[in-house]
Amino acid sequence: MSLLTHLLACLFGMGSWISINGLWVELPLIVPQVPEGWYLPSYLSVLIQMANVGPLLVTLMHRFRPGALNETAVVYGILVLGTAASFLLAFFWKESVVVAGAPRSVALLVLTFFLSVVDCTSSVTFLPFMTRLQPHFLTTYFIGEGVSGLLPALVALIQGVGVVRCINSTRLLNRTSGGAAADELQAQYQPANFSPDVFFFFLSAMMLVSLLAFLLLNHHPSVARERPTSRYTTGVKAGKGAEQRPMMEPFRAPPPRRWSSFGTGAYSWREVVCICVLLAWVNALTNTVLPSVQSYSCMPYGSKTYHLSAALAAVSNPLACFLAMFVSVRSLPVLGVLTLMGSSVGAYIMSAAVLSPCPPLVQEPSGAALMVLSWTVFVLSLSYVKVMIGLILRDEGHSALVWCGAVVQLGSLLGAVTMFPLVSVFGYFSSGDTCNTECP
C-alpha cells in the first residue's frame, strides 16, 4: 500500500504552486482582455512577493511560539482558500472596477494575492508536514511539486496559449502623399482552443484533488502504517547502539558528536550556512531570476523554441526528483559543483536574454537547439540540488524543514527584487519583433 501513499504525497505536493504557475502560463490570453495590459506581470510579481507575509508569520510562530501553531489546520485552510480563489477567478478575472479614475482588475489582483499567500505559505507548511511520513516519501512530494509546473504548461500547450503566426501585411510608406506600400510580416496570435474560464476551473479542480490527497494522508489507515517508527523520530535513523537493552548500557557506543545546535547537530554551522546559501541561490535562479527573462532568451529563436523550452524545463523538474529516488548524492562539494554547472548554463541563458533580439546563433538551427538544451540542463541540475538539500534538511528534523521553506521564499524574494526593476522599470531587456527582427 506504500504505492497509495506515494501517489497521495505526489498529489499533495502538486497543490503547492500549481495555481500561480497556471496563472503565469495563462498570461498571453489574459493580458489582451484586462486594462493593465502587459503591465500585469509586474503587478503580479509585486503581489507574489507581498504574499511572503504568510511564510513570515508561520516562521515567526515556530521561532517564538513553538508548538502553538496547528500545522494541519493551516494546511487545510490554505488548500481550501486556494481551491476557492481559483474557482472565483473563472468568473471574475476579466471584471474591472474604476479606481482613481482608471479601470483596474481589482478582482483579479485580489484573488491573485490570495493564491500567492497559499503557494508561498506552502513552502513552510507542506514540507514540515512531510516529516510525519517516512523519509523516502519526501522525494515523491518533490515530484508532485515539479508536476505543479508541468501540468499547467501541458494544459496550456493543448489550449494553444501564445501560438503566433506571421502573416503578410501591407504598410504604407508615405501616407500624406500616397506613397508606395511595402510588404512586411505581422505577428498574429491564434485563438485558444478553450477560454481562460475553463483553465481556471481546471486549476480549481487540481487544488481540490490536492486537498482530498491531504485529507487521505491524515486519515487513511494504509497511510497510518507509513508513519515513522521510533527509529525515525528525530529524522535520523538511530544507530544500533541505541537499540541495546539497558543491561548493555556500559558497552553502548557513545553518542555521535554534535557539531552544532542545528537539527541533530550532524552539520557544523559553516556547513549549515553553506546549505542555506546554496538553497537560496538555487531557488532565486529557478523561481524568479531566469523565468523572468525566459521569453527574452527564447523568443528570438521562434515561438516553437520558446514553447519547447518551457515544456522540457517543466518536465525536467519532476524528472530530477524522480532521479533523486535512485541516485542520492548528499556530498556538499558535489552539490556545489552541480550548482556551479547549472549556474554557468544559467549565465548563458541570461546572456542570450541580454543580447535579445539578436542572441548568439539566432539565425541558425543549432542556436535554437542549444537554447532548448540549456533550459533543460539548467532546470534538471538545479532541481536535483534542491531535492537533495530538502532530503538533507528532512533528516535534521521538523524545524529544519521550516527553515528550509523560509530560505526558499527568501531566495525567491531576493531574485524577484533584483529582476523586477531591470525587466519592468528600466526596460533593460528587449524582445524585438517576433516576425521582423533582422540581425547582422
Side-chain angles (χ1 to χ4, degrees), residues 39-371:
Y39 286 104
L40 180 63
S42 301
Y43 297 152
L44 296 186
S45 298
V46 173
L47 288 174
I48 292 172
Q49 301 315 314
M50 289 174 59
N52 279 302
V53 65
L56 176 62
L57 291 176
V58 172
T59 304
L60 292 177
M61 284 289 292
H62 279 287
R63 176 65 180 86
F64 297 106
R65 296 288 302 277
L69 187 68
N70 187 338
E71 287 181 342
T72 302
V74 173
V75 174
Y76 275 122
I78 63 177
L79 285 174
V80 170
L81 178 61
T83 304
S86 300
F87 185 78
L88 292 175
L89 269 177
F91 296 97
F92 299 108
W93 67 270
K94 55 185 174 183
E95 299 295 329
S96 61
V97 177
V98 176
V99 177
R104 301 292 180 188
S105 304
V106 175
L108 174 62
L109 296 176
V110 170
L111 291 173
T112 298
F113 175 75
F114 287 142
L115 289 179
S116 302
V117 171
V118 169
D119 291 358
C120 291
T121 309
S122 70
S123 298
V124 293
T125 53
F126 287 19
L127 278 174
F129 170 80
M130 292 304 297
T131 60
R132 303 184 185 186
L133 300 175
Q134 293 185 19
H136 54 272
F137 291 111
L138 183 62
T139 306
T140 312
Y141 167 84
F142 280 119
I143 293 177
E145 197 173 78
V147 170
S148 71
L150 171 63
L151 195 56
L154 293 180
V155 174
L157 286 177
I158 297 173
Q159 186 183 15
V161 171
V163 178
V164 179
R165 185 178 66 177
C166 296
I167 60 174
N168 288 319
S169 65
T170 301
R171 178 171 57 91
L172 194 63
L173 295 180
N174 191 336
R175 295 179 181 273
T176 58
S177 60
D183 291 333
E184 67 175 11
L185 294 176
Q186 182 178 6
Q188 183 182 69
Y189 284 89
Q190 301 302 297
N193 296 322
F194 52 87
S195 68
D197 304 14
V198 177
F199 187 84
F200 287 129
F201 281 131
F202 159 75
L203 292 183
S204 179
M206 292 300 98
M207 288 298 297
L208 182 61
V209 168
S210 182
L211 174 60
L212 294 177
F214 181 66
L215 181 68
L216 293 175
L217 284 174
N218 278 287
H219 300 290
H220 198 283
S222 297
V223 178
R225 293 194 290 269
E226 303 293 343
R227 305 291 183 192
T229 62
S230 59
R231 300 177 66 206
Y232 290 92
T233 52
T234 62
V236 179
K237 292 182 181 180
K240 292 183 179 180
E243 299 176 356
Q244 302 293 332
R245 297 179 181 179
M247 64 178 296
M248 300 296 293
E249 186 70 31
F251 306 99
R252 182 177 299 179
R257 178 180 175 181
R258 289 180 59 88
W259 295 96
S260 68
S261 58
F262 180 82
T264 63
Y267 293 91
S268 67
W269 280 115
R270 180 178 297 179
E271 291 173 321
V272 171
V273 171
C274 177
I275 290 171
C276 291
V277 170
L278 280 180
L279 187 62
W281 173 258
V282 166
N283 280 277
L285 292 183
T286 57
N287 293 349
T288 52
V289 174
L290 269 300
S292 66
V293 298
Q294 185 171 21
S295 60
Y296 299 104
S297 66
C298 296
M299 285 303 292
Y301 299 98
S303 59
K304 290 184 179 179
T305 300
Y306 173 74
H307 289 293
L308 188 58
S309 297
L312 290 182
V315 171
S316 298
N317 194 323
L319 179 60
C321 301
F322 185 75
L323 179 64
M325 297 181 68
F326 303 98
V327 181
S328 180
V329 179
R330 302 194 180 201
S331 168
L332 294 184
V334 174
L335 294 180
V337 170
L338 286 175
T339 302
L340 180 60
M341 182 185 73
S343 300
S344 300
V345 177
Y348 171 76
I349 295 173
M350 180 61 72
S351 66
V354 171
L355 296 174
S356 176
C358 296
L361 303 174
V362 66
Q363 296 175 341
E364 301 293 334
S366 58
L370 182 59
M371 183 54 61

